[in-house]
Amino acid sequence: MTADILPSLNPTPSPQSEEDELDWIRLLRSRRVGVATFFRLLDEHGSAKAALDALPDVARQAGVKGYAACPFEVAEDEHRRARFAGARMVTWGTPDYPELLSEIPDPPPFFWAIGDVALLHSPMIALIGARNASSVGTRMARRLAADLSEAGFTVVSGLARGIDTVAHEVALEKGKTVAVLAGGVDVIYPKDNTVLGEEIARKGVRLSEQPLGLSPQARHFPRRNRLISGLARAVVVVEAAAKSGSLLTARNALDQGRDVLAVPGHPFDARASGCNFLIRDGAALVRGAADVIEAIGPAARAPTDAPSRQDRAAASSPVAGVDIPPPAPRAARSLAQTAALHRQILDRLGPSPLAEDQLIRDMGTQSGAVSADILPEIVSLELEGRIIRQPGGLLSKST
């Protein structure tokens, strides 16, 4: 895990009141404020309220004229919708926030959850795959979901058709499940899964980092996928085409230090080509739940390669009784510096793909930036939909 792109907050309390929560919502929903910028502003200004007060001036310094932060009424409406839907705001740096998710490079500052939030601290395995799953893939997903549930794992997936649906259904029968949504936590998509989604809210957890009421669009799914892998100790791809969202999730998992496993398929079946590629490139082959458990260890055993909360507390500053990771070794950049770095990255990209490694080398040669500075901003631009990642580590500018 690359610690230098984790949030590095000074001792700043998480929201302690509804007013604080509204400030966090306003800051994150403000134009040009993504995950990385949110944490940077919070670090520089000490609180979301102070960051909001400073944001117009900071934007002006970055060359953005007439900037206005997210209106109070918009945040208030999101908060009201959450109460109506029975959703709970889970903020970074609080005991409810999943520890594994807090360790990914770009953890959401907060997300909305409906259901049993305590499940987010149980050992989770992600089961993902094709929407147009074959009968063999469906049977395999059922078997894996049942056996992993009985072994004590919570199954996490994306509530899509096909493999996701089967994984959730069986996990509800045999154990527990978590559904990560691409749109608002109150917007169940696809509509076919409305009953299933409501059942998950009663017996498991539905969660999303998006505003309530938001209908999912294509650009939202890559963001959703990083949360699926971020919550889980391992990602199992049951069936996936060569170019699919499941392979993006698998890439996220590798970047996050998670185990990636795949079910092999017939070489003539396009729905299995992605899994076969993953296995060729080093993913563990899965014949059943025993292979998954052997790869990551039984559910009852905590990961030995991750520091405990007690260990992290000893090396960090306590905030309202919550453990905060220690400051990153590099200094936080201002919003103006970040905007300038974004421009430099985008200026070097066009519609023709460029290797990510080459981009980083070019940036280092011409601007003196180091990979630890460039990589998180590439991720930020990718999540914002301004950069498209293509197979083979290639990047291009979104049109």
Side-chain angles (χ1 to χ4, degrees):
M1 188 65 63
T2 50
D4 58 344
I5 53 177
L6 291 172
S8 57
L9 298 180
N10 290 324
T12 304
S14 296
Q16 302 296 307
S17 65
E18 181 175 319
E19 183 179 357
D20 292 340
E21 290 181 350
L22 290 171
D23 288 338
W24 275 52
I25 294 171
R26 288 187 63 204
L27 183 59
L28 187 61
R29 304 303 185 216
S30 292
R31 185 165 53 98
R32 293 177 63 98
V33 177
V35 169
T37 303
F38 176 95
F39 283 114
R40 190 169 297 117
L41 288 169
L42 208 59
D43 183 49
E44 291 175 353
H45 299 283
S47 71
K49 180 176 178 56
L52 285 166
D53 291 340
L55 196 50
D57 186 56
V58 172
R60 187 162 48 252
Q61 294 176 21
V64 180
K65 298 180 180 179
Y67 185 91
C70 172
F72 176 83
E73 293 75 16
V74 172
E76 190 177 40
D77 181 67
E78 182 172 347
H79 209 272
R80 187 186 305 113
R81 285 173 176 265
R83 288 198 302 271
F84 182 78
R88 180 175 179 179
M89 186 178 183
V90 180
T91 57
W92 188 87
T94 63
D96 287 334
Y97 200 97
E99 186 168 1
L100 280 180
L101 189 61
S102 72
E103 295 169 354
I104 70 173
D106 49 353
F110 64 84
F111 58 84
W112 298 105
I114 302 177
D116 184 6
V117 175
L119 276 182
L120 300 177
H121 296 287
S122 63
M124 284 184 266
I125 301 293
L127 288 184
I128 59 173
R131 288 174 170 80
N132 61 333
S134 67
S135 59
V136 173
T138 299
R139 290 202 303 272
M140 188 63 176
R142 288 187 180 280
R143 177 180 163 190
L144 284 170
D147 292 348
L148 289 170
S149 294
E150 291 174 352
F153 290 96
T154 296
V155 173
V156 58
S157 198
L159 200 60
R161 294 185 180 94
I163 297 300
D164 290 20
T165 294
V166 171
H168 286 307
E169 288 175 342
V170 175
L172 281 176
E173 295 172 6
K174 303 291 185 178
K176 299 294 184 180
T177 191
V178 174
V180 185
L181 278 59
V185 72
D186 57 335
V187 180
I188 298 176
Y189 178 86
K191 293 295 184 182
D192 305 358
N193 280 342
T194 297
V195 173
L196 174 60
E198 292 172 348
E199 188 74 3
I200 291 172
R202 287 191 292 271
K203 297 181 180 179
V205 185
R206 285 202 326 257
L207 66 86
S208 172
E209 66 177 328
Q210 298 291 354
L212 280 89
L214 178 71
S215 296
Q217 299 178 22
R219 68 177 184 274
H220 298 140
F221 287 91
R223 296 181 61 85
R224 186 275 312 261
N225 293 345
R226 89 187 195 285
L227 301 188
I228 292 175
S229 55
L231 287 164
R233 295 171 59 182
V235 173
V236 181
V237 185
V238 178
E239 222 172 37
K243 295 182 179 180
S244 66
S246 295
L247 291 195
L248 177 59
T249 307
R251 180 184 174 86
N252 287 336
L254 291 171
D255 292 342
Q256 294 164 351
R258 308 295 192 254
D259 290 308
V260 175
L261 306 93
V263 175
H266 195 284
F268 292 164
D269 188 347
R271 290 169 296 192
S273 57
C275 290
N276 292 337
F277 287 152
L278 287 172
I279 294 169
R280 180 200 63 187
D281 294 340
L285 185 148
V286 174
R287 299 162 298 177
D291 290 332
V292 181
I293 295 171
E294 180 182 357
I296 67 172
R301 191 175 72 210
T304 57
D305 58 344
S308 67
R309 283 192 177 272
Q310 291 77 13
D311 292 338
R312 289 196 295 139
S316 64
S317 301
V319 178
V322 180
D323 307 326
I324 300 295
R330 62 182 175 87
R333 292 187 302 277
S334 68
L335 187 59
Q337 292 171 320
T338 299
L341 187 55
H342 283 187
R343 284 195 298 272
Q344 292 172 23
I345 293 171
L346 292 172
D347 286 346
R348 285 168 174 77
L349 291 175
S352 300
L354 175 68
E356 184 176 40
D357 292 345
Q358 183 64 48
L359 171 65
I360 292 172
R361 284 195 297 270
D362 291 347
M363 291 283 293
T365 300
Q366 298 181 29
S367 68
V370 297
S371 60
D373 289 326
I374 301 169
L375 282 172
E377 303 312 331
I378 290 175
V379 171
S380 178
L381 290 168
E382 183 181 359
L383 293 175
E384 291 174 7
R386 302 172 71 185
I387 285 179
I388 298 174
R389 185 177 294 277
Q390 302 184 19
L394 299 177
L395 303 173
S396 62
K397 185 187 295 186
S398 178
T399 56

